[in-house]
Amino acid sequence: EIFLHSSNIGAVQIVEKIGITAQREFLGKLGLLKQTSIEIPEVGKPMIPADWQEISMMTVSYGHGISVNAVQLASAAASVLNGGTLVTPTLIKRDPSIPLPQTRVISEHASNVMRQLFRVVVTAGTGKSANVPGYVVGGKTGTAHKQEGKGYADKKYRGFFVGMAPIEQPRIVVAVMIDEPSNGKYFGGDVAAPVFSATVQQTLR
């Protein structure tokens, strides 16, 4: 239910059981604490807390106090959902005959559970508008205040959706970020999830 309804309070309660060290180690495994290795210099470094104390641990658990780019978001999601092995993003076509190194970030069982959670977000949670007729997809919504100066802007938002398809054996991952939506809506489920749906419908076809 915490995942289904994007509960910040629930996320904090979970991370309090895990602790700062395990949180940082896990985010590091997913490549979210350093600049991505993708082959273009314009992809910036993530913004992370300079002093990772308990309050940082709590805010990071629901996506505040840390900022990553869409490439990192997509590759982290792929790593969690593909059976639990690290995906390194690249723009260069790989030779399919050369096996990729298998760095495990979570267990295969945990990855299967995460795919089920991503699915239920689309069927019964905040991501219903990400649904794709004829395909079984899953994903997760996100909504964030934009950082401005030394704090957060009052009425400026980014809406997110990251998802994969098909759920049983993921082939594609799509990360959508809508910067300052202007139609009066700003939640990720309202502004980013429909873009995921339209993109995935065409891609899978």
Side-chain angles (χ1 to χ4, degrees), residues 6-22:
S6 283
S7 169
N8 291 352
I9 295 171
V12 170
Q13 290 174 334
I14 289 173
V15 82
E16 284 180 323
K17 297 177 184 294
I18 296 168
I20 295 172
T21 301

Side-chain angles (χ1 to χ4, degrees), residues 4-198:
L4 188 68
H5 301 298
S6 283
S7 169
N8 291 352
I9 295 171
V12 170
Q13 290 174 334
I14 289 173
V15 82
E16 284 180 323
K17 297 177 184 294
I18 296 168
I20 295 172
T21 301
Q23 183 191 44
R24 287 193 65 166
E25 285 178 356
F26 181 60
L27 295 178
K29 277 183 183 179
L30 292 175
L32 297 176
L33 303 184
K34 62 182 181 181
Q35 188 165 9
T36 180
S37 60
I38 201 164
E39 301 86 359
I40 50 173
E42 290 80 9
V43 178
K45 295 179 181 178
M47 296 170 64
I48 62 176
D51 188 17
W52 206 305
Q53 298 297 326
E54 187 176 11
I55 187 65
S56 301
M57 175 190 77
M58 293 178 179
T59 56
V60 166
S61 75
Y62 54 82
H64 280 223
I66 187 170
S67 181
V68 301
N69 59 55
V71 173
Q72 290 176 299
L73 187 63
S75 59
S79 302
V80 167
L81 301 169
N82 72 350
T85 57
L86 184 67
V87 173
T88 303
T90 181
L91 298 174
I92 299 171
K93 188 175 182 180
R94 292 185 172 122
D95 184 343
S97 67
I98 300 174
L100 293 171
Q102 298 287 301
T103 303
R104 185 154 293 283
V105 292
I106 62 173
S107 70
E108 191 166 350
H109 171 71
S111 180
N112 289 336
V113 171
M114 289 306 301
R115 285 205 293 271
Q116 293 169 32
L117 287 173
F118 269 56
R119 176 58 182 160
V120 90
V121 167
V122 173
T123 58
T126 55
K128 292 188 181 88
S129 56
N131 201 34
V132 180
Y135 298 101
V136 182
V137 305
K140 182 70 185 76
T141 59
T143 308
H145 277 96
K146 285 190 70 173
Q147 187 268 336
E148 198 168 73
K150 293 186 178 181
Y152 289 97
D154 219 10
K155 295 182 179 179
K156 294 180 181 178
Y157 299 90
R158 286 193 176 109
F160 298 87
F161 190 88
V162 60
M164 80 298 185
I167 196 86
E168 311 89 347
Q169 191 176 6
R171 296 292 305 278
I172 60 170
V173 168
V174 177
V176 179
M177 186 272 287
I178 307 296
D179 189 21
E180 293 189 33
S182 57
N183 62 356
K185 298 179 180 179
Y186 55 84
F187 288 114
D190 293 326
V191 297
V195 179
F196 168 87
S197 177

